[in-house]
Each structure stands twice: as C-alpha cells, then as structure tokens.
Amino acid sequence: MKHKEKVNPFLRISVFSAVLVLLAAAVALGLFYYLFGITEPEGLSLASWPKTFTSSFSVWMENRDGSLWVEDIAIERLDKYGLWLQVIDGDGQEVFSHNKPEDYPDCYSASELLAFSEKPYENGNTVFAGSFDKWSYLIGFPYPIGKYMLYYNGKHVTRLFSVFCMGLYVLSGAVIIFVFAYGFWLTGRFTQITRGIGGILRRSYSPVPEKGIFREVFSELNKMNTEICNSDKVQKDTERTRQEWITGITHDLKTPLSPVKGYAELLSDASALDSETVREYGKIILKNISHAESLINDLKLTYQLEAGVIPFHPKEIPFVRFLREVVIDIVNDPAFSCRRIEFYSDTEEITVSIDADLFRRAMENLIVNALTHNPPETKVTVTVSTKPEGNVSVIVKDNGAGMDSEEAAELFTRYYRGTSTKEKPEGSGLGLAIAKQIITLHGGDIRVTSSGEGTEMKCWIF
C-alpha cells in the first residue's frame, strides 16, 4: 500500500501566498488594461498609442522643393487602422487630406489648432495634432480616448518619490516577514494538532488550552480524548467484569458437575448399592444436571438475543391474565411457597402483542431476582398500569434491603453480578440482562430505582 508523501504546512502556506500574489497581479494587470487600453487592429494597446502614432507619423512625410509629400506606407497605415489625416500649412489652409470627415473645415485659426491638444472625443473621433517642418497635421482616431494633463510641484514630488520607494520597499519587506512568521506560526499549530491526534491514538494526549483561532479544533480534540478515555475505561471495566463473570460461571458449572461425577462413580459400582440408594443418587445427579443445563441455556439465550437470531413471534394476548398466571406459577413453586407476592392491576384486562414465552421468561427473572436477593420476610408486589398514551407498564417492587447507585447502574450489565446477597444464589447471573434484552426486543424499556429500603423495577411496553 502506497503512503502519501507528507507535505510541509509551511510549503503549503508559501504556495498559497504565491498564488494569491499572482492572482492579485493578474487582477491588477487586467484592471490596468481595462482602464488604460484600447483594441486596435493589431491587438490590445495602451490608450497612449494614438499620441505616439501621431508623433511618429512625420517620418512618412517629406518636403520636396517646398511641397509636401506623404509616403504610400503612411496612407496604407491610415487605411489599415481606419484613421483620417488632414495637413494644414502656416496660414491654416488645408494642403492635403485623406479620409477626412465632411464636418471638419478646410481652414483653421491658430487657436483652433491649439485646441485639438485638449479636445475630447466627439463626432466619433478623437483628434491628435502633430507638426512637420512648416506644416501641421491632424489625425482622427475612432476611439473614445480621454485627454487629461496633470500639473504638480516637481520639487516636492521628486523628494517624495524616493520616500515613496523606500516606504514601498519597507512595506514589501514587512509583508514578506509577516507571511513567513505567520507561516511558521501556523506550522507550529498544525504540528501541535498532529501531535495531539497522535497522542490520542497512543493514549498519551495532554489537554490543550482552548484559545486562539484554533480553539474549536483544540476543543474537539479535548472532547475526543475525553470520550476515548471514557470508552477505554468502560471497555476495561467490561473486560474485568467479563473475566470475573467467566470465573464465576466456571465455578458455577463445576459446582453441579462435581456431585454428578461423584455420584456417578458411586453408581458405577451398583452391586454394593440397594435400589433406594440408586434412585436417590439418580435424583441428585438429575438435579445438578438440570442446574448445569439452566446455566448453559441462559448463556446461549443472552447471546441469541444480542445477535438477533432468537425466534420472535408476538401475538395479541390478554396481558393482565397472562401476568397473573406468571405470578401464580411462582407462588406455587416450592422454593417460593412461603414468600409474600402480591399482584395489582388498574384495569380489568388489556390486550398486548408480545411473545408469550420470551416475556414470561423476562417477568419470571425480575420477580425471582427480587425474591432471591432479599430476606425471606420481604414482600414483592407486581403492578400492571396503563397510560393515556397507550403504553403499559409493569412494576416489580420489593421492600428489601435495596442497593447503592453503583450497583443499580450495573444491574443490567451482562457480565455484572451483584453483591447484595450474603449467599450466592443458584443461577447464571444473567437473569436481569436477559430480562432487559427481551423487553427491548418488544420495543420497551426498563428502569431500576433503589434507595436504602427497597428496589423498584419498572418496564414499559409500547
């Protein structure tokens, strides 16, 4: 894979500055020719070209024995450029003309000839005057050329010209120094930004003061670093919790497997055991195998829910009746037959679209968690309530010992196992995570609130 060559930021700035200077020069040159240029047959020329042409036109004129002679090349040039010519003698009388417009006279006074030097564009022509020997001549140009004469104090202007040149040099030098200094400064800022990005990647970033023209960039770098650090912490905590969970689930799997192995070894020598003992050992093995199977099924289910590959078949069912049956089944379980569980509903019945098997699993996990992680005298209430906006909520509440905010925040984390019980319950530690995944699958949400006394788990179904 080819790597792009790194370009020095200062070089970019220099190139950018040079491009700006060239662009400004091009604009200035274009403006200059727009204001002081005319388009004549041979191309673009300065507006002073007619004056120059008039002054040099005398090279094509001759005095032959007191008579005026105009060379053919002069006539060709006049025709080529679309000009006209009128030659006047010392008495102001016309002695020669070529292409002269009809509205120009054949005789001029001295003042009229002098006026042509300042006469503006009129009648489709700008007229310039010249002289040769004893004759004067007028040449008309079809261009709207302005004639202005500037008068100034020559002594002061000459003195100020050197000052102006020096000031121009100083200003140019200052601009060059500023461009280079600013380029070095920008290079330093870009280098700081580049190092900051590298520091974030290497996790060695130090926050940069958010000031100057790059304050937004530095602000985003600081935010990015904070978010990455938080993400790294969450990832580290998740990995630590996952390792602890793996250690715990491994221990939990070994717990039922150890008696299975032990009683299986005893059953291998069945000749020394009576039938009653064999049946008792078999029941113990089955119980522990069921416990191990439950752990494995929980692990499988949570990953199926996360991957979205669990079969999901929602249908309309009477929700109050469904939840009441879930509570009755738990009450009838010998493990919880002596526990206090109460059920309430603010409506006689309501129909909800859910996957009955999955939602039963979620509700059982919430209720059993409240029973398992609290003292035997704890009362658990299950309440169904409806809202005007159409959603249904189920609240599982107990009056047990409660939990702190840190434990409550981690309660639905897949690899988190709470520490609120004195005796470790039989289970995978995945019950609440599975419950949240199932409720989320149904388009709902779940929230836990707890204080020094009791815990409330509230889930919504939309």
Side-chain angles (χ1 to χ4, degrees), residues 276-312:
E276 184 65 28
T277 302
V278 170
R279 282 195 296 273
E280 181 181 354
Y281 288 175
K283 290 180 181 179
I284 295 173
I285 291 174
L286 287 174
K287 177 183 176 182
N288 284 277
I289 288 176
S290 296
H291 177 45
E293 186 179 23
S294 176
L295 294 175
I296 294 172
N297 287 338
D298 279 355
L299 184 61
K300 176 183 176 182
L301 178 59
T302 185
Y303 279 99
Q304 283 180 321
L305 288 168
E306 183 182 15
V309 296
I310 191 80
F312 181 60

Side-chain angles (χ1 to χ4, degrees), residues 152-187:
Y152 57 88
N153 188 320
K155 179 180 180 182
H156 292 171
V157 170
T158 303
R159 183 188 304 167
L160 289 175
F161 180 74
S162 60
V163 176
F164 173 78
C165 292
M166 183 178 296
L168 184 62
Y169 294 146
V170 171
L171 180 61
S172 301
V175 169
I176 294 173
I177 293 173
F178 172 78
V179 170
F180 275 87
Y182 189 68
F184 279 114
W185 180 81
L186 282 180
T187 302

